[in-house]
Amino acid sequence: MSLFAKDVDAAFLGAGTKIGLEIWCVENLGLVPVPKSSHGNFFSASAYLILNTILLKDGMLAHDVHYWLGKDASQVDSLMVSDKALELDMALGSCTVQYQEKQGQESAKFLSYFKPCIIPCEGAYTSGPERSDRGTYHISLLACKGEHAISVKEVPFIRSSLNHDDVFILDTESKIYLFSGHNSSIQERAKALEVIKYIKEEKHGGKCQVATIEDGKFVGDSDAGEFWSLFGGYAPIPRDTSSFFKKQHDVPFVKLFWINTHGKLCETVTDSLAREMLAREKCYMLDCDAEVYVWMGRCTSMTERKISVTATEDFLRSQGRSTRTLVTVLTEGSETPKYKSYFAGWPPTDNPKLYEEGKGKVAAIFKQQGYDVTELPEEHCQPLINCRGKLEIWGVDGNQLSIVPSEGHIKLFSGNCYIVKYKYPGSQRDESILYAWLGLESIEEDRSDAISHMIDMAIVSKGAPVLAQIFEGKEPDQFFWVTQRLIVVKGGTSTRYIDSMSEKGFADYAYDVRGTILFRIQGSSPQNMQAVQVNMAAGSLNSAYCYILQTEATIFSWIGSTTSSRDQDLLDKMLELVNPAWQPKSLREGGEPDEFWTALGGKAEYPREKEIKKHVEDPHLFVCNCSEDDFKVKEIFSYTQDDLTTEDVFVLDCYTEIYVWIGSQSAIQSKLQALHCGLKYLERDILAQGLPLETPLYMVTERHEPEFFTCFFDWDVSKSHMDGNSFERKLTLLMEEKKFETPPRNSWKAISSELSGSGSRSKSVISNGTPRSASPSSFPGSQLTNGGTFPSPTVIAKNLDWGLSAENFNSSLVPENDDDTANPLIYPYERLKVTSDEPVSDIDLTRREAYLSKEEFQEKFGMTKRAFYELPKWRQNKLKIPLNLF
């Protein structure tokens, strides 16, 4: 802020340092902060500035700036708040996206901050004491539009305001009526019920009746009679009445204008747009009809930026588009995926090293805050699946399936495709997942057959198994935990693969157990380790891995210079599986004999460090319209479980894997259709992430969601077991006509079949009867929110004024002074952990950590109990997983 202190309002001092919303309102030509108690209350004669700060997975803070213009706000206030948005962006390092929000035309992202809706009040905001209106109750008629982010607009309380396209709420002193136009969707009607619930609680103290009125249905309905009498009696609604909400064009036109320092717009005539057309010392306007972008180069001044925004607003006003077109302001480097999509081949900007450095800095800040953290753990180090299930594998050869034996380990050929079925105990019932594993060298026809076989298996399977398409080399960590000991070799045995190799003139395409082979060893534990055959060349080596080199005469174990003791332990264990008969020659990097290099074809340069993984973005949820000739998606911001409407299909983009969720009443019922929907999403590259088409793709059915999917939501099992469409479910909850009991969730006590009489765990078996060893898996019940990120001090509640809630704090177990006397049941860690041989009974299995002594809690978590319970629920769970307390 010091660089631009003369250009920045003093009201922004300290802005953007805390997670969440900060709001200012223009009052008397100045900015005044709006207290949290008034967040979401907007006045139509005022202009507001809103800052939303979130924590990214790389430990950095990201900001979105919105300026909201009430329909009666003065032009002076509107211009001022527009300028202040630019100043706020400057104060935050010119890295924000700024959205212009007009009353009644707000963006879905903006509306997501104020769920379920905002209902602006008449008049102007004043920073004095809140006004109270104890006069006659104001009857209001509200028009509602939106299936996931709902816009609410007060309209004249007259019969002619009603139409067939929108949903209306009539709020009277004793009763709230919902009128659903017959062209409105079920989802819109369901969303309007959330608004009614909000009005009922906020304006009526929860004490008023609710009635629903169907458009066109009148006979024998007393509520309908009451409703129409308030309008002076029933009369049919004309067919030609239009919605209060403007429809956007499906295919917008796109024009690029350069804005000079005098505010003149100069159109750039071109057949296609490219990033190179944007000069960093200039400002541009991208006109997309319903939405307009102002792009400001890094080298532009504050004056130039203000001129460009004003010029854009003047341009829209001159065309009569100012009320229906939203303006988004971007600084170079902060472009949104949607903006980038208008340009051909926008270059990637990902910097994985920055991510690793960020993790180290966050760990250092944690230590400075008093927490005993030396480094942040790798993400996904534990699976969100029970690893003691039953595993079956079939090889695919056209129409034939052949069982794959598992002699203590699993061997897959790169030229083949396989079906992997895994059945395991879930939280409420046995769950299963079917993988189609597609080898890197496999034939396209075999891949199609594998998908068909997987879907056929799902149809005849009991329940609704999760389906997954995964490619060799892109497998999710979960797959490795399920297979536990995996060897992947080159070559193949399928008929099509053999014929293909013969046509190409390759005779030696089969794997020879006694031949010359080079394996790279990878994994994280004896229950998650792989040997992957790589090319016989020195360039295949990497200092960050261990390798097994087998020749016709001997076998070498090669230890890279930067490998850990864990890597070397896995090397020893894998040697016993690859070739237990031969005594290996152990080599450390730098001490190789000539025969080692001769076997690899001579010395060559090779990588010295492990490839740094790209940092994982926060998940994004999209609702999809996936027909044969069309594919559209719309992002759901600040999503919750309630957004998963049964009539729709959704894509949950977790960056390293994609989930397609299929609502039970959606138009898509086939898993093959769902797979094609997921593939179309990857092809479109909606978030401009550069995701490969080989990204793991899961198909999940409503009511059969696995824990590794529900962990991205604050999941309520009772909601997922309700009957009816979205509207009927919401109405049932609102009317409280029926109580839905939560099905019992399996706990470790409930999975008693895994415990023998002595308290030790019995081992489950895989298809051939071989015992499957237990892994330190995390079991069902994870409550990660859709920002399931790695630790950062900025998420600590005591530093962010988040306060405590009943959701994440149990005062009966954790007193203010952390005194163990408040919880007389204290047990040692070894008896409380999930994998204990002598488990404690009669405790709350979801809060094992609460029974640790104060000293042992500090030792294990590096913080006090009170500090732990101040963290968000998802963060608590993530800390418990590696300690086997979850």
Side-chain angles (χ1 to χ4, degrees):
M1 185 168 172
S2 59
L3 288 174
F4 305 98
K6 62 183 177 63
D7 293 323
V8 174
D9 196 302
F12 300 142
L13 184 64
T17 58
K18 294 182 179 181
I19 301 292
L21 291 175
E22 296 173 74
I23 302 178
W24 298 266
C25 184
V26 178
E27 185 180 34
N28 298 325
L29 300 181
L31 284 185
V32 295
V34 176
K36 287 187 177 180
S37 60
S38 296
H39 285 189
N41 298 329
F42 292 88
F43 288 84
S44 60
S46 295
Y48 292 80
L49 183 62
I50 299 94
L51 170 65
N52 185 47
T53 302
I54 61 171
L55 175 71
L56 299 178
K57 282 207 169 195
D58 57 7
M60 304 296 287
L61 295 176
H63 313 281
D64 283 316
V65 174
H66 304 256
Y67 53 102
W68 185 88
L69 309 177
K71 63 181 178 62
D72 299 322
S74 68
Q75 190 171 352
V76 173
D77 286 355
S78 299
L79 179 60
M80 179 180 181
V81 78
S82 172
D83 288 347
K84 292 300 178 183
L86 289 170
E87 292 180 21
L88 180 55
D89 171 64
M90 187 79 79
L92 295 170
S94 294
C95 61
T96 74
V97 179
Q98 301 153 62
Y99 302 89
Q100 182 193 76
E101 310 286 351
K102 297 185 178 75
Q103 181 176 341
Q105 299 290 328
E106 295 88 356
S107 66
K109 174 174 277 193
F110 179 79
L111 292 173
S112 73
Y113 304 149
F114 309 102
K115 289 188 175 182
C117 64
I118 62 171
I119 305 176
C121 305
E122 293 296 318
Y125 173 82
T126 57
S127 54
E130 290 189 13
R131 296 169 291 185
S132 60
D133 184 4
R134 299 184 181 275
T136 304
Y137 192 85
H138 172 64
I139 297 178
S140 56
L141 181 64
L142 306 171
C144 304
K145 195 73 174 177
E147 297 184 347
H148 296 279
I150 190 164
S151 295
V152 179
K153 180 186 296 185
E154 184 169 359
V155 297
F157 175 31
I158 52 177
R159 186 167 45 210
S160 59
S161 293
L162 302 175
N163 61 60
H164 299 297
D165 296 324
D166 299 329
V167 180
F168 293 85
I169 296 171
L170 179 60
D171 178 23
T172 71
E173 188 171 9
S174 60
K175 186 179 283 190
I176 304 174
Y177 299 86
L178 175 70
F179 175 85
S180 302
H182 65 71
N183 293 333
S184 63
S185 68
I186 291 173
Q187 299 94 312
E188 286 178 316
R189 300 176 189 188
K191 203 67 182 176
L193 286 176
E194 293 183 16
V195 179
I196 287 180
K197 182 181 178 183
Y198 169 76
I199 294 172
K200 180 179 177 181
E201 293 173 352
E202 293 295 316
K203 296 182 66 176
H204 298 268
K207 298 177 181 179
C208 76
Q209 294 179 302
V210 175
T212 60
I213 313 299
E214 190 77 19
D215 185 6
K217 295 183 180 180
F218 178 71
V219 178
D221 189 338
S222 59
D223 286 330
E226 290 178 8
F227 174 80
W228 287 112
S229 68
L230 294 168
F231 289 93
Y234 174 77
I237 300 172
R239 291 179 178 272
D240 57 353
T241 54
S242 59
S243 169
F244 279 96
F245 302 90
K246 304 293 184 183
K247 289 186 178 180
Q248 295 186 1
H249 295 291
D250 290 336
V251 183
F253 60 81
V254 179
K255 295 180 181 179
L256 182 66
F257 297 84
W258 164 52
I259 307 173
N260 66 21
T261 54
H262 300 291
K264 182 180 178 182
L265 275 64
C266 309
E267 184 174 354
T268 302
V269 180
T270 179
D271 292 333
S272 64
L273 300 177
R275 168 65 181 88
E276 294 74 22
M277 299 170 68
L278 304 177
R280 62 187 323 175
E281 68 278 358
K282 295 181 180 179
C283 294
Y284 297 84
M285 184 189 79
L286 184 68
D287 187 359
C288 306
D289 188 35
E291 188 168 19
V292 166
Y293 296 89
V294 178
W295 186 92
M296 306 176 299
R298 280 277 177 187
C299 298
T300 55
S301 67
M302 174 63 77
T303 301
E304 290 173 309
R305 297 180 182 188
K306 289 182 178 180
I307 289 173
S308 65
V309 173
T310 301
T312 298
E313 292 173 346
D314 290 342
F315 169 77
L316 294 175
R317 198 175 297 112
S318 68
Q319 293 200 341
R321 296 165 52 194
S322 59
T323 57
R324 65 175 179 86
T325 304
L326 295 180
V327 178
T328 302
V329 183
L330 306 162
T331 308
E332 180 182 358
S334 64
E335 298 87 358
T336 62
K338 189 174 182 181
Y339 180 80
K340 294 177 183 178
S341 69
Y342 293 112
F343 293 79
W346 191 283
T349 56
D350 187 67
N351 189 340
K353 288 194 173 182
L354 215 57
Y355 169 56
E356 294 297 314
E357 292 170 6
K359 288 178 68 176
K361 289 177 181 177
V362 169
I365 297 172
F366 249 108
K367 196 167 185 179
Q368 189 178 25
Q369 297 278 347
Y371 295 95
D372 186 18
V373 177
T374 54
E375 62 178 9
L376 293 176
E378 287 296 319
E379 297 200 53
H380 308 303
C381 57
Q382 303 294 333
L384 287 168
I385 192 171
N386 186 327
C387 293
R388 300 184 178 194
K390 179 182 178 182
L391 185 69
E392 296 177 278
I393 304 176
W394 295 269
V396 177
D397 190 359
N399 294 325
Q400 303 297 316
L401 292 178
S402 56
I403 194 75
V404 175
S406 304
E407 302 165 359
H409 65 275
I410 298 162
K411 184 183 295 179
L412 303 181
F413 287 87
S414 185
N416 288 0
C417 295
Y418 297 87
I419 306 299
V420 179
K421 181 179 181 180
Y422 183 63
K423 188 175 182 180
Y424 61 96
S427 61
Q428 304 153 44
R429 57 184 173 264
D430 282 350
E431 307 280 1
S432 59
I433 181 170
L434 286 166
Y435 298 94
W437 185 90
L438 311 179
L440 200 61
E441 302 170 6
S442 61
I443 306 303
E444 189 62 40
E445 290 84 349
D446 282 346
R447 295 179 179 183
S448 297
D449 285 342
I451 298 297
S452 297
H453 285 305
M454 177 180 68
I455 292 174
D456 290 342
M457 280 190 183
I459 292 172
V460 300
S461 295
K462 185 179 180 180
V466 174
L467 304 190
Q469 173 187 279
I470 59 175
F471 285 81
E472 177 192 349
K474 297 291 184 181
E475 301 93 341
D477 291 340
Q478 178 197 86
F479 180 77
F480 291 139
W481 282 106
V482 166
T483 53
Q484 296 197 351
R485 295 171 291 275
L486 178 65
I487 298 175
V488 180
V489 297
K490 292 180 177 294
T493 59
S494 83
T495 302
R496 289 193 182 104
Y497 177 80
I498 292 173
D499 292 345
S500 174
M501 291 298 102
S502 298
E503 290 175 6
K504 295 176 182 177
F506 297 114
D508 187 15
Y509 46 77
Y511 167 74
D512 183 0
V513 70
R514 293 283 182 177
T516 302
I517 309 167
L518 180 63
F519 286 108
R520 182 181 69 242
I521 310 304
Q522 59 192 39
S524 60
S525 81
Q527 289 78 43
N528 172 1
M529 60 181 186
Q530 306 87 44
V532 180
Q533 184 179 355
V534 295
N535 293 331
M536 280 291 295
S540 297
L541 299 175
N542 188 313
S543 301
Y545 291 95
C546 294
Y547 290 79
I548 296 173
L549 172 61
Q550 176 182 298
T551 67
E552 294 180 356
T554 187
I555 186 168
F556 298 98
S557 63
W558 187 84
I559 302 172
S561 59
T562 61
T563 57
S564 64
S565 58
R566 180 193 67 184
D567 297 327
Q568 294 160 31
D569 289 342
L570 295 183
L571 172 65
D572 294 338
K573 288 180 169 57
M574 196 55 82
L575 278 165
E576 298 173 7
L577 300 179
V578 171
N579 196 331
W582 291 11
Q583 180 66 33
K585 294 182 180 179
S586 182
L587 306 175
R588 288 195 172 272
E589 183 177 2
E592 304 87 351
D594 290 341
E595 61 179 314
F596 176 86
W597 294 116
T598 300
L600 293 177
K603 290 185 178 182
E605 286 298 315
Y606 56 84
R608 303 290 173 173
E609 59 183 21
K610 189 178 293 186
E611 181 182 353
I612 299 175
K613 291 183 179 181
K614 294 183 177 182
H615 75 269
V616 179
E617 302 284 351
D618 292 333
H620 294 260
L621 183 69
F622 296 88
V623 62
C624 302
N625 179 3
C626 191
S627 59
E628 290 186 7
D629 55 353
D630 194 18
F631 179 75
K632 295 178 183 177
V633 298
K634 181 181 292 186
E635 184 165 5
I636 311 300
F637 298 98
S638 306
Y639 65 80
T640 67
Q641 179 187 354
D642 288 337
D643 287 308
L644 298 176
T645 43
T646 186
E647 298 80 14
D648 293 312
V649 173
F650 292 83
V651 167
L652 181 66
D653 185 345
C654 300
Y655 192 72
T656 56
E657 51 200 19
I658 304 295
Y659 295 87
V660 180
W661 183 90
I662 310 161
S664 59
Q665 298 189 31
S666 69
I668 293 181
Q669 294 299 314
S670 159
K671 293 290 180 73
L672 184 59
Q673 286 179 295
L675 176 63
H676 289 160
C677 187
L679 291 174
K680 284 183 179 179
Y681 175 84
L682 287 171
E683 290 170 2
R684 297 290 180 90
D685 195 17
I686 302 297
L687 292 174
Q689 304 171 102
L691 292 184
L693 295 179
E694 296 78 22
T695 300
L697 196 55
Y698 295 89
M699 279 66 72
V700 177
T701 306
E702 184 181 10
R703 299 192 180 197
H704 298 274
E705 297 88 352
E707 272 71 17
F708 53 85
F709 174 82
T710 61
C711 69
F712 296 105
F713 300 80
D714 190 5
W715 198 260
D716 182 346
V717 180
S718 64
K719 292 180 179 179
S720 63
H721 286 266
M722 294 183 70
D723 295 320
N725 60 38
S726 299
F727 175 74
E728 292 165 344
R729 296 179 189 184
K730 291 280 176 67
L731 184 61
T732 299
L733 292 174
L734 183 63
M735 300 297 195
E736 297 183 345
E737 292 176 350
K738 184 176 179 181
K739 299 290 185 182
F740 288 86
E741 295 182 0
T742 301
R745 296 182 70 94
N746 280 351
S747 62
W748 277 94
K749 185 187 290 185
I751 312 177
S752 56
S753 60
E754 293 188 29
L755 297 174
S756 63
S758 62
S760 60
R761 231 173 252 292
S762 61
K763 295 181 179 179
S764 56
V765 296
I766 50 179
S767 55
N768 69 341
T770 307
R772 290 179 60 78
S773 58
S775 72
S777 61
S778 66
F779 276 74
S782 176
Q783 294 292 321
L784 292 178
T785 62
N786 60 303
T789 56
F790 65 83
S792 171
T794 49
V795 301
I796 299 173
K798 63 187 178 67
N799 290 340
L800 297 180
D801 299 325
W802 275 8
L804 300 180
S805 66
E807 254 184 20
N808 59 19
F809 182 66
N810 187 334
S811 58
S812 66
L813 292 178
V814 188
E816 282 198 31
N817 58 2
D818 288 311
D819 188 350
D820 292 332
T821 58
N823 178 24
L825 296 177
I826 299 297
Y827 296 101
Y829 167 72
E830 292 300 324
R831 293 193 63 193
L832 289 170
K833 64 182 183 179
V834 164
T835 55
S836 174
D837 292 331
E838 190 183 356
V840 179
S841 60
D842 299 325
I843 62 170
D844 183 351
L845 297 173
T846 66
R847 309 185 71 81
R848 295 172 180 271
E849 74 289 346
Y851 300 91
L852 290 169
S853 67
K854 180 172 63 175
E855 294 76 20
E856 200 162 19
F857 192 99
Q858 179 73 39
E859 175 190 343
K860 297 298 181 184
F861 288 94
M863 65 182 76
T864 65
K865 288 184 180 181
R866 170 154 289 276
F868 175 82
Y869 285 107
E870 288 178 350
L871 297 174
K873 185 75 172 183
W874 66 264
R875 178 72 185 101
Q876 297 174 26
N877 291 341
K878 202 154 190 180
L879 292 175
K880 287 156 63 174
I881 287 173
L883 294 173
N884 284 317
L885 291 172
F886 183 74

